[in-house]
Amino acid sequence: MTLGEAKDFSYLYSDETKARKPSPLKTCIHLFQDPNIIFLGGGLPLSDYFPWDNLVVDSPLPPFAKGIGAPLTGTKEDSLKVSIKKQDQSNGTIPLARGLQYGFTNGQPELIKFLKEHNTIIHDMKYADWDVIATTGNTNAWESTLRIFCNKGDVILAEAHSFSSSLASAEAQGVIVFPLPIDQNGIIPEKLEAIMDNWNPEAAKPKLLYTIPTGQNPTGTSLADDRKEKIYRIAQKHDFIIVEDEPYYFLQMEPYIRDPKERTAKKLTHEEFLKSLAKTFLSIDTEGRVIRLDSFSKVLAPATRLGWITASKSILQSYVYLHEMTIQAASGFTQALVAGTLNSWGQDGYLDWLLGLRHEYTLKRDNAIDALHKYLPKTDAFVVNPPIAGMFFTVDIDASAHPEFKAKYDSDPAQVEHAIYEKVISSGVLVVPGSWFKTEGETVPPQPVESKMTGNRNEIFFRGTYAAVSPEKLTEGLKRLSIALKEEFGL
Ligand SMILES: Cc1ncc(COP(=O)(O)O)c(C=O)c1O
């Protein structure tokens, strides 16, 4: 089947993007690589003077038989030497002479090729002219997205609780972030539709929906596949772009099974693994309305500062023009190391790695939820919803169940939240209050009151992670948390 082309969404661009002219110097930089051109056109240092001749790293060898966290012996049994040289371009490695030079704002070809192949394995792309560019991670990609689409005073939509840095980034640019109600399966399409259908016509309409569909930060929820289809139709009807920020996409786990005896450690085949993954907005998108942000932060290492954006070629061109003036390019060392490693592993090896992560995170999540079930007081006031993806669990708390809700805290859930926060810290454990992640924007003039009802006002929650500590520390931390809640609620 021949796929159609993406629609032109440039009418949604910010004034900055509409006004941006590509730097004339950048229009000829590609000729630096042309052997027929003697390039006297730019301030590029000669690569002979780069003080690195090669990079050699040991990385684990697929299929990571001993698990992905096992220490390496440095032998052929479990280790792979990734060797990157100044001039050598074999095996998909980026020659340092090119990788450490200016240029390739969109990313080095060896990395981009791998990522495009990876994308076609993961997503069922439904239009022809999509592409991929490298970024310095999703923080950068989101900040750029805001600049590309939004003027000061523009409105975007986001989950009612969302990643605080992403919200802060929007607010700093004067962008209003309007909250959308969510439940255990993410954004509720019917509520989104009602909000959009009743949108105050005198307020600017949202240009973007910013969503973290998988292992949402901070709620740990994942957006159900059937909801994605509905949300996409609403985006078409009300003409906004969907930005899926997906750093946790490959931390999808086995469903939580309460009885440990019923859990199986069955290793999935690649086919089963791919089938198990959540449907992506990209796989639904027929017209280039989705911008997907992927990152290596949670699957390789955060300080690689490397990620990628998938979108239509025309939208990506705007990012490239912006990045030429901002980040210039993702680090050459990082691109060389990551592309060298991934191309040595191959697509199958990378799937093995992601499968290994799935296994590890399933164990961590099970450990955390088991401990919460064991230690948390058994009362309806505390609810734990086992996540199916990501790094976060939440403990949902009915603040009105606090014995001093009225007398001491003036029936104010925020005061109860603060009291709990202080109590857990003094008990030697840190979990963070849900209110830190609250999406609180309001349009001018405001939206109807019903559009702002995002749930039970007495419900508060705390976010914790099972990713960052050893199983022993995690259990001890959750024990402390449970005792603190028990004492605070006088149970
Ligand atoms: C939803 C979300 N987006 C983006 C980021 C940052 O990603 P990166 O390290 O790729 O900048 C995080 C990290 O915590 C996150 O939770």
Side-chain angles (χ1 to χ4, degrees):
M1 193 179 76
T2 336
L3 298 177
E5 300 278 297
K7 269 175 66 174
D8 177 6
F9 288 102
S10 56
Y11 58 91
L12 289 175
Y13 286 166
S14 63
D15 294 342
E16 178 187 343
T17 304
K18 285 179 187 155
R20 187 183 304 286
K21 294 193 192 75
S23 156
L25 276 176
K26 303 289 180 192
T27 60
C28 64
I29 188 116
H30 64 283
L31 296 176
F32 181 69
Q33 304 297 335
D34 185 336
N36 300 315
I37 300 273
I38 300 171
F39 193 90
L40 308 179
L44 289 74
L46 192 63
S47 61
D48 295 2
Y49 305 152
F50 298 167
W52 297 280
D53 195 60
N54 61 77
L55 291 174
V56 182
V57 291
D58 284 330
S59 105
L61 178 74
F64 317 106
K66 285 190 248 153
I68 61 163
L72 295 190
T73 62
T75 67
K76 282 196 190 132
E77 296 294 302
D78 60 9
S79 309
L80 177 80
K81 276 220 182 313
V82 180
S83 172
I84 297 148
K85 304 207 171 75
K86 209 166 208 172
Q87 300 296 350
D88 184 14
Q89 208 169 324
S90 55
N91 303 325
T93 56
I94 298 168
L96 290 176
R98 165 156 51 76
L100 298 181
Q101 188 55 276
Y102 284 123
F104 292 97
T105 296
N106 57 326
Q108 293 285 331
E110 294 80 358
L111 176 69
I112 296 300
K113 182 166 178 283
F114 186 93
L115 293 175
K116 285 173 83 166
E117 283 167 9
H118 168 75
N119 262 6
T120 45
I121 294 171
I122 303 302
H123 313 287
D124 180 13
M125 297 302 295
K126 298 235 167 38
Y127 65 94
D129 51 336
W130 61 274
D131 209 343
V132 160
I133 60 161
T135 66
T136 64
N138 288 13
T139 308
N140 154 236
W142 171 236
E143 214 267 343
S144 297
T145 305
L146 284 163
R147 279 182 66 177
I148 284 166
F149 287 97
C150 296
N151 297 317
K152 208 172 163 118
D154 276 351
V155 183
I156 65 170
L157 304 166
E159 282 114 1
H161 288 90
S162 187
F163 180 42
S164 38
S165 301
S166 298
L167 299 179
S169 190
E171 281 154 17
Q173 292 191 33
V175 175
I176 295 158
V177 193
F178 192 83
L180 298 179
I182 51 175
D183 64 14
Q184 277 317 306
N185 295 314
I187 296 168
I188 306 158
E190 294 70 25
K191 298 218 168 159
L192 167 62
E193 187 150 41
I195 288 171
M196 292 311 304
D197 287 350
N198 296 314
W199 195 259
N200 185 335
E202 285 170 40
K205 275 195 103 175
K207 281 185 168 174
L208 308 175
L209 162 62
Y210 170 76
T211 175
I212 309 161
T214 316
Q216 208 256 1
N217 186 359
T219 60
T221 55
S222 292
L223 183 59
D225 283 0
D226 60 329
R227 291 190 179 188
K228 288 182 186 155
E229 304 263 4
K230 291 182 186 155
I231 292 168
Y232 186 78
R233 305 282 160 247
I234 300 167
Q236 287 181 307
K237 180 171 159 194
H238 289 281
D239 200 19
F240 54 81
I241 300 275
I242 298 174
V243 183
E244 52 176 345
D245 181 9
E246 283 286 47
Y248 307 102
Y249 184 75
F250 288 107
L251 304 185
Q252 294 180 51
M253 302 168 274
E254 300 297 322
Y256 178 73
I257 298 174
R258 185 132 191 187
D259 182 355
K261 289 197 281 304
E262 286 179 20
R263 293 176 195 157
T264 54
K266 183 179 169 262
K267 199 166 177 285
L268 300 184
T269 63
H270 287 179
E271 212 182 350
E272 288 166 335
F273 172 59
L274 294 172
K275 238 173 131 183
S276 77
L277 294 173
K279 187 173 207 157
T280 61
F281 275 113
L282 266 190
S283 299
I284 298 168
D285 186 17
T286 48
E287 53 187 19
R289 184 178 287 284
V290 172
I291 298 172
R292 181 178 170 94
L293 316 182
D294 275 290
S295 171
F296 284 117
S297 285
K298 316 291 177 177
V299 292
L300 296 182
T304 55
R305 302 316 306 140
L306 190 64
W308 69 101
I309 308 177
T310 310
S312 73
K313 281 195 165 114
S314 66
I315 287 183
L316 287 179
Q317 189 56 57
S318 306
Y319 283 85
V320 173
Y321 289 152
L322 172 63
H323 288 173
E324 281 172 349
M325 309 300 140
T326 54
I327 60 167
Q328 290 240 21
S331 155
F333 285 118
T334 284
Q335 293 195 64
L337 272 178
V338 171
T341 305
L342 292 180
N343 281 313
S344 302
W345 286 0
Q347 295 292 346
D348 277 343
Y350 187 44
L351 289 183
D352 286 329
W353 181 258
L354 298 173
L355 260 164
L357 278 175
R358 178 184 174 93
H359 176 69
E360 295 294 320
Y361 273 84
T362 301
L363 295 180
K364 279 176 176 293
R365 185 273 322 269
D366 287 353
N367 187 16
I369 304 299
D370 290 352
L372 284 167
H373 283 154
K374 183 166 169 196
Y375 298 117
L376 261 191
K378 313 262 168 305
T379 149
D380 291 346
F382 306 136
V383 177
V384 175
N385 296 298
I388 52 167
M391 294 182 159
F392 305 111
F393 65 87
T394 59
V395 179
D396 299 350
I397 300 173
D398 177 1
S400 66
H402 194 288
E404 294 181 288
F405 184 58
K406 282 197 193 115
K408 187 167 171 191
Y409 299 122
D410 212 11
S411 297
D412 177 7
Q415 290 188 40
V416 178
E417 187 191 61
H418 187 68
I420 297 174
Y421 180 59
E422 299 216 309
K423 175 80 183 173
V424 294
I425 291 196
S426 68
S427 306
V429 59
L430 179 77
V431 286
V432 291
S435 65
W436 290 6
F437 303 90
K438 213 157 182 235
T439 307
E440 293 192 288
E442 176 58 285
T443 57
V444 189
Q447 295 306 308
V449 180
E450 313 80 67
S451 297
K452 292 283 290 206
M453 302 224 188
T454 51
N456 174 358
R457 75 174 285 279
N458 290 333
E459 200 176 282
I460 56 174
F461 73 90
F462 282 79
R463 186 197 79 170
T465 179
Y466 34 78
V469 293
S470 66
E472 298 73 34
K473 278 202 164 161
L474 181 65
T475 308
E476 176 56 29
L478 294 173
K479 211 172 182 176
R480 291 181 191 180
L481 170 68
S482 303
I483 294 169
L485 287 174
K486 199 167 165 180
E487 287 176 5
E488 186 62 37
F489 280 71
L491 297 164

PDB file of all heavy atoms in Angstrom, residues 53-67:
ATOM      1  N   ASP A  53      42.397   9.535  19.068  1.00  0.00           N
ATOM      2  CA  ASP A  53      42.569   8.716  17.869  1.00  0.00           C
ATOM      3  C   ASP A  53      41.559   7.596  17.808  1.00  0.00           C
ATOM      4  O   ASP A  53      41.130   7.184  16.737  1.00  0.00           O
ATOM      5  CB  ASP A  53      43.984   8.132  17.867  1.00  0.00           C
ATOM      6  CG  ASP A  53      44.328   7.595  16.500  1.00  0.00           C
ATOM      7  OD1 ASP A  53      44.311   8.412  15.552  1.00  0.00           O
ATOM      8  OD2 ASP A  53      44.533   6.368  16.378  1.00  0.00           O
ATOM      9  N   ASN A  54      41.217   7.079  18.974  1.00  0.00           N
ATOM     10  CA  ASN A  54      40.226   5.997  18.986  1.00  0.00           C
ATOM     11  C   ASN A  54      39.585   5.912  20.365  1.00  0.00           C
ATOM     12  O   ASN A  54      40.114   6.424  21.351  1.00  0.00           O
ATOM     13  CB  ASN A  54      40.863   4.652  18.608  1.00  0.00           C
ATOM     14  CG  ASN A  54      41.935   4.263  19.580  1.00  0.00           C
ATOM     15  OD1 ASN A  54      41.624   3.799  20.686  1.00  0.00           O
ATOM     16  ND2 ASN A  54      43.199   4.476  19.218  1.00  0.00           N
ATOM     17  N   LEU A  55      38.460   5.246  20.387  1.00  0.00           N
ATOM     18  CA  LEU A  55      37.752   4.968  21.648  1.00  0.00           C
ATOM     19  C   LEU A  55      37.475   3.485  21.652  1.00  0.00           C
ATOM     20  O   LEU A  55      36.969   2.961  20.660  1.00  0.00           O
ATOM     21  CB  LEU A  55      36.384   5.669  21.674  1.00  0.00           C
ATOM     22  CG  LEU A  55      36.279   7.177  21.768  1.00  0.00           C
ATOM     23  CD1 LEU A  55      34.808   7.582  21.613  1.00  0.00           C
ATOM     24  CD2 LEU A  55      36.784   7.626  23.133  1.00  0.00           C
ATOM     25  N   VAL A  56      37.796   2.832  22.749  1.00  0.00           N
ATOM     26  CA  VAL A  56      37.469   1.408  22.842  1.00  0.00           C
ATOM     27  C   VAL A  56      36.723   1.198  24.144  1.00  0.00           C
ATOM     28  O   VAL A  56      37.202   1.604  25.205  1.00  0.00           O
ATOM     29  CB  VAL A  56      38.738   0.524  22.810  1.00  0.00           C
ATOM     30  CG1 VAL A  56      38.357  -0.956  22.860  1.00  0.00           C
ATOM     31  CG2 VAL A  56      39.547   0.798  21.567  1.00  0.00           C
ATOM     32  N   VAL A  57      35.539   0.613  24.049  1.00  0.00           N
ATOM     33  CA  VAL A  57      34.782   0.353  25.280  1.00  0.00           C
ATOM     34  C   VAL A  57      34.332  -1.103  25.309  1.00  0.00           C
ATOM     35  O   VAL A  57      34.116  -1.719  24.264  1.00  0.00           O
ATOM     36  CB  VAL A  57      33.525   1.260  25.401  1.00  0.00           C
ATOM     37  CG1 VAL A  57      33.899   2.701  25.621  1.00  0.00           C
ATOM     38  CG2 VAL A  57      32.618   1.123  24.192  1.00  0.00           C
ATOM     39  N   ASP A  58      34.227  -1.633  26.513  1.00  0.00           N
ATOM     40  CA  ASP A  58      33.633  -2.958  26.678  1.00  0.00           C
ATOM     41  C   ASP A  58      32.160  -2.768  26.961  1.00  0.00           C
ATOM     42  O   ASP A  58      31.789  -2.014  27.866  1.00  0.00           O
ATOM     43  CB  ASP A  58      34.268  -3.682  27.874  1.00  0.00           C
ATOM     44  CG  ASP A  58      35.638  -4.205  27.536  1.00  0.00           C
ATOM     45  OD1 ASP A  58      35.864  -4.524  26.353  1.00  0.00           O
ATOM     46  OD2 ASP A  58      36.479  -4.282  28.447  1.00  0.00           O
ATOM     47  N   SER A  59      31.349  -3.465  26.197  1.00  0.00           N
ATOM     48  CA  SER A  59      29.919  -3.409  26.503  1.00  0.00           C
ATOM     49  C   SER A  59      29.438  -4.849  26.630  1.00  0.00           C
ATOM     50  O   SER A  59      30.096  -5.773  26.143  1.00  0.00           O
ATOM     51  CB  SER A  59      29.183  -2.644  25.404  1.00  0.00           C
ATOM     52  OG  SER A  59      28.477  -3.500  24.575  1.00  0.00           O
ATOM     53  N   PRO A  60      28.312  -5.088  27.316  1.00  0.00           N
ATOM     54  CA  PRO A  60      27.836  -6.461  27.423  1.00  0.00           C
ATOM     55  C   PRO A  60      27.428  -7.019  26.058  1.00  0.00           C
ATOM     56  O   PRO A  60      27.045  -6.269  25.155  1.00  0.00           O
ATOM     57  CB  PRO A  60      26.635  -6.357  28.365  1.00  0.00           C
ATOM     58  CG  PRO A  60      26.355  -4.912  28.546  1.00  0.00           C
ATOM     59  CD  PRO A  60      27.484  -4.119  28.008  1.00  0.00           C
ATOM     60  N   LEU A  61      27.519  -8.312  25.941  1.00  0.00           N
ATOM     61  CA  LEU A  61      27.291  -8.969  24.650  1.00  0.00           C
ATOM     62  C   LEU A  61      25.876  -9.556  24.592  1.00  0.00           C
ATOM     63  O   LEU A  61      25.491 -10.317  25.479  1.00  0.00           O
ATOM     64  CB  LEU A  61      28.318 -10.106  24.513  1.00  0.00           C
ATOM     65  CG  LEU A  61      28.255 -10.973  23.266  1.00  0.00           C
ATOM     66  CD1 LEU A  61      28.779 -10.207  22.049  1.00  0.00           C
ATOM     67  CD2 LEU A  61      29.094 -12.245  23.467  1.00  0.00           C
ATOM     68  N   PRO A  62      25.101  -9.188  23.561  1.00  0.00           N
ATOM     69  CA  PRO A  62      23.786  -9.825  23.422  1.00  0.00           C
ATOM     70  C   PRO A  62      23.957 -11.335  23.287  1.00  0.00           C
ATOM     71  O   PRO A  62      24.966 -11.763  22.745  1.00  0.00           O
ATOM     72  CB  PRO A  62      23.236  -9.222  22.126  1.00  0.00           C
ATOM     73  CG  PRO A  62      24.068  -8.005  21.843  1.00  0.00           C
ATOM     74  CD  PRO A  62      25.401  -8.249  22.478  1.00  0.00           C
ATOM     75  N   PRO A  63      23.034 -12.167  23.752  1.00  0.00           N
ATOM     76  CA  PRO A  63      21.712 -11.793  24.277  1.00  0.00           C
ATOM     77  C   PRO A  63      21.690 -11.553  25.794  1.00  0.00           C
ATOM     78  O   PRO A  63      20.651 -11.716  26.400  1.00  0.00           O
ATOM     79  CB  PRO A  63      20.853 -12.996  23.911  1.00  0.00           C
ATOM     80  CG  PRO A  63      21.803 -14.160  23.996  1.00  0.00           C
ATOM     81  CD  PRO A  63      23.158 -13.639  23.592  1.00  0.00           C
ATOM     82  N   PHE A  64      22.818 -11.166  26.394  1.00  0.00           N
ATOM     83  CA  PHE A  64      22.869 -10.792  27.816  1.00  0.00           C
ATOM     84  C   PHE A  64      22.358 -11.947  28.696  1.00  0.00           C
ATOM     85  O   PHE A  64      21.456 -11.786  29.523  1.00  0.00           O
ATOM     86  CB  PHE A  64      22.062  -9.500  28.058  1.00  0.00           C
ATOM     87  CG  PHE A  64      22.289  -8.458  26.995  1.00  0.00           C
ATOM     88  CD1 PHE A  64      21.332  -8.172  26.035  1.00  0.00           C
ATOM     89  CD2 PHE A  64      23.510  -7.782  26.922  1.00  0.00           C
ATOM     90  CE1 PHE A  64      21.562  -7.240  25.037  1.00  0.00           C
ATOM     91  CE2 PHE A  64      23.750  -6.841  25.919  1.00  0.00           C
ATOM     92  CZ  PHE A  64      22.766  -6.576  24.984  1.00  0.00           C
ATOM     93  N   ALA A  65      22.978 -13.107  28.455  1.00  0.00           N
ATOM     94  CA  ALA A  65      22.470 -14.340  29.060  1.00  0.00           C
ATOM     95  C   ALA A  65      22.403 -14.277  30.584  1.00  0.00           C
ATOM     96  O   ALA A  65      21.519 -14.877  31.188  1.00  0.00           O
ATOM     97  CB  ALA A  65      23.351 -15.512  28.611  1.00  0.00           C
ATOM     98  N   LYS A  66      23.347 -13.552  31.202  1.00  0.00           N
ATOM     99  CA  LYS A  66      23.341 -13.515  32.678  1.00  0.00           C
ATOM    100  C   LYS A  66      22.511 -12.362  33.233  1.00  0.00           C
ATOM    101  O   LYS A  66      22.607 -12.014  34.400  1.00  0.00           O
ATOM    102  CB  LYS A  66      24.787 -13.412  33.182  1.00  0.00           C
ATOM    103  CG  LYS A  66      25.534 -14.741  33.059  1.00  0.00           C
ATOM    104  CD  LYS A  66      26.866 -14.670  33.783  1.00  0.00           C
ATOM    105  CE  LYS A  66      28.014 -14.724  32.792  1.00  0.00           C
ATOM    106  NZ  LYS A  66      29.229 -14.090  33.209  1.00  0.00           N
ATOM    107  N   GLY A  67      21.740 -11.735  32.367  1.00  0.00           N
ATOM    108  CA  GLY A  67      20.948 -10.582  32.820  1.00  0.00           C
ATOM    109  C   GLY A  67      21.681  -9.304  32.487  1.00  0.00           C
ATOM    110  O   GLY A  67      22.916  -9.303  32.375  1.00  0.00           O
TER     111      GLY A  67
END
